[in-house]
Amino acid sequence: MISTIAAEFRDALPGGGRLIGLDLGTKTIGTALCDAGWTFASPALLIRRAKFTKDKEALAALIAEQAVTGIVIGLPLNLDGSESPRSQSTRAFARNIADLGPILLWDERWSTQAVTRTLIEQDASRAKRAELVDKMAAAYILQGAIDALVRV
């Protein structure tokens, strides 16, 4: 099941459980995890992208290890809300991992910018920002989704 509607996704997870958030980049996949009560999201691993099969194996291992019940993937939309080629690529990725669990595609506009701004304010070096931004963007995306899930 792949949805862009929080209520549909929540209904696919009647027992709740841990969620994983993904920020898909061209070179890395930032991951974040939340608690089973959907209270807070925390950055997790940074997966260096390889061939899709390896990426999926790494995600499947993390999902199994952390007893994840659902997946939230950042959907890169244009500022006007329309879809772009990156959006279509994200949707294709979601279809290819749909057997790993229910998926919620979540609007990720501004996530990277918000996280980068926070890291700059904290005076993080450029190298440190490069290492952290994708994981933190995944946490930002996941936090937005879980905040919506508990409201609907």
Side-chain angles (χ1 to χ4, degrees):
M1 179 233 127
I2 300 172
S3 181
T4 57
I5 301 168
E8 265 181 30
F9 179 71
R10 189 196 59 224
D11 292 346
L13 302 167
R18 291 192 84 183
L19 303 177
I20 188 169
L22 305 178
D23 180 46
L24 303 177
T26 55
K27 296 179 182 174
T28 60
I29 300 172
T31 68
L33 295 163
C34 76
D35 60 304
W38 299 350
T39 308
F40 61 90
S42 301
L45 298 176
L46 184 66
I47 298 170
R48 303 266 177 224
R49 294 200 74 172
K51 293 191 183 278
F52 173 75
T53 307
K54 296 277 186 197
D55 297 347
K56 185 175 179 180
E57 286 172 3
L59 284 173
L62 182 59
I63 286 168
E65 174 187 312
Q66 296 295 327
V68 167
T69 60
I71 304 163
V72 176
I73 302 176
L75 181 63
L77 298 173
N78 292 320
L79 291 180
D80 66 1
S82 64
E83 295 206 5
S84 67
R86 280 195 60 221
S87 305
Q88 295 308 313
S89 174
T90 298
R91 286 184 181 279
F93 185 91
R95 283 190 301 274
N96 289 325
I97 66 162
D99 59 321
L100 298 179
I103 296 173
L104 175 63
L105 296 174
W106 192 253
D107 182 354
E108 74 160 23
R109 284 177 286 182
W110 308 111
S111 62
T112 300
Q113 292 86 342
V115 167
T116 300
R117 190 172 28 256
T118 299
L119 290 169
I120 289 170
E121 288 169 1
Q122 294 175 352
D123 205 25
S125 70
R126 202 175 284 269
K128 188 71 168 172
R129 288 194 312 259
E131 185 64 28
L132 291 175
V133 73
D134 290 332
K135 295 190 296 188
M136 290 182 68
Y140 186 91
I141 292 163
L142 182 55
Q143 188 66 52
I146 62 177
D147 288 348
L149 288 168
V150 297
R151 282 194 308 263
V152 255

